[in-house]
Amino acid sequence: DSGVTQTPKHLITATGQRVTLRCSPRSGDLSVYWYQQSLDQGLQFLIQYYNGEERAKGNILERFSAQQFPDLHSELNLSSLELGDSALYFCASSVGSGLEYNEQFFGPGTRLTVL
Amino acid sequence: AQKITQTQPGMFVQEKEAVTLDCTYDTSDPSYGLFWYKQPSSGEMIFLIYQGSYDQQNATEGRYSLNFQKARKSANLVISASQLGDSAMYFCAMRSYNYGQNFVFGPGTRLSVLP
């Protein structure tokens, strides 16, 4: 058990809908990362937050947004869902965000299916 | 542009033998980090090892070592004394620290350890 929790484990929804994925980092970790893994596009980095502030942005679509709350949990919001958004969404956490804080702990992922 | 190449879609290794998984990268950023992750068939993602571009020595973590050849832009993962539990997908990734701190992942190598 990595100590990172993600809810829900599975999510099935329809095109055009909006969903929210939740992540709680390990106790003491200030950074949260979001990744998408799909058959078409492989693994992609979406976004990183550090202590409530956006720290790095990857291939995150404009229909997607994220935030990190004062208690350090993070939410990834996906809207106007398309079939291609079906994927496994991972959250990871690390102690910090600099070069020296490289070990990431991953949650079990949320499997999103868009029908 | 940043790119990670993993040329071995699949590999087999006999239990207790060593195996090398190849990874080459391309970046114009002098400051970057290289990561290896393991994804067993159960789906979770596990961070294995990290190498910074300015690190003088190759990274090691238990049975994992990273053979970092900067001039050749390669960051191969060496697993010593393979175990059946090492059967998994292995992803190489790079993070550039001067250009948006984005992560870029390779397509992965599926390793199968034979008894």
Side-chain angles (χ1 to χ4, degrees):
Chain A
D1 184 355
S2 68
V4 179
T5 60
Q6 286 187 251
T7 55
K9 286 198 167 116
H10 301 276
L11 197 49
I12 301 175
T13 188
T15 54
Q17 295 298 304
R18 172 189 168 95
V19 296
T20 297
L21 313 184
R22 183 188 168 106
C23 169
S24 293
R26 279 190 335 153
S27 176
D29 285 357
L30 298 179
S31 268
V32 169
Y33 309 75
W34 285 98
Y35 300 89
Q36 179 196 59
Q37 185 176 30
S38 65
L39 288 174
D40 288 346
Q41 307 210 39
L43 265 167
Q44 293 198 89
F45 165 67
L46 297 179
I47 198 162
Q48 178 197 356
Y49 279 82
Y50 173 74
N51 205 21
E53 302 277 333
E54 183 183 302
R55 182 55 59 100
K57 208 167 191 176
N59 302 321
I60 188 165
L61 299 172
E62 285 192 11
R63 299 184 286 109
F64 297 0
S65 65
Q67 54 184 324
Q68 186 179 28
F69 294 86
D71 67 352
L72 301 176
H73 91 271
S74 178
E75 292 181 357
L76 178 67
N77 299 297
L78 315 176
S79 61
S80 302
L81 285 167
E82 302 175 0
L83 296 177
D85 298 328
S86 295
L88 184 57
Y89 291 84
F90 285 109
C91 160
S93 71
S94 66
V95 171
S97 95
L99 285 174
E100 66 276 27
Y101 301 114
N102 301 298
E103 184 170 12
Q104 298 168 350
F105 298 86
F106 284 79
T110 293
R111 169 78 62 189
L112 174 66
T113 303
V114 182
L115 301 175
Chain B
Q2 297 176 61
K3 188 177 179 181
I4 293 281
T5 302
Q6 293 179 259
T7 57
Q8 308 151 314
M11 285 198 65
F12 292 90
V13 66
Q14 210 66 39
E15 197 178 5
K16 299 180 187 174
E17 292 186 352
V19 63
T20 298
L21 306 184
D22 293 343
C23 172
T24 57
Y25 60 92
D26 190 19
T27 182
S28 56
D29 187 351
S31 180
Y32 55 89
L34 296 154
F35 300 74
W36 278 93
Y37 302 90
K38 172 184 178 182
Q39 188 174 37
S41 58
S42 51
E44 75 266 30
M45 194 68 69
I46 303 165
F47 165 84
L48 293 178
I49 198 167
Y50 169 83
Q51 179 86 41
S53 58
Y54 296 117
D55 293 343
Q56 295 297 312
Q57 294 192 333
N58 287 343
T60 59
E61 288 287 347
R63 293 186 299 110
Y64 304 107
S65 61
L66 201 152
N67 184 0
F68 181 46
Q69 298 188 43
K70 196 169 180 177
R72 297 179 61 184
K73 293 192 173 178
S74 78
N76 298 338
L77 178 70
V78 180
I79 306 174
S80 63
S82 296
Q83 301 172 356
L84 296 178
D86 294 334
S87 294
M89 279 291 285
Y90 288 82
F91 294 96
C92 179
M94 174 175 63
R95 186 175 206 188
S96 167
Y97 291 104
N98 289 330
Y99 299 119
Q101 300 198 50
N102 194 6
F103 281 86
V104 176
F105 287 84
T109 294
R110 182 170 297 282
L111 177 67
S112 299
V113 180
L114 305 174

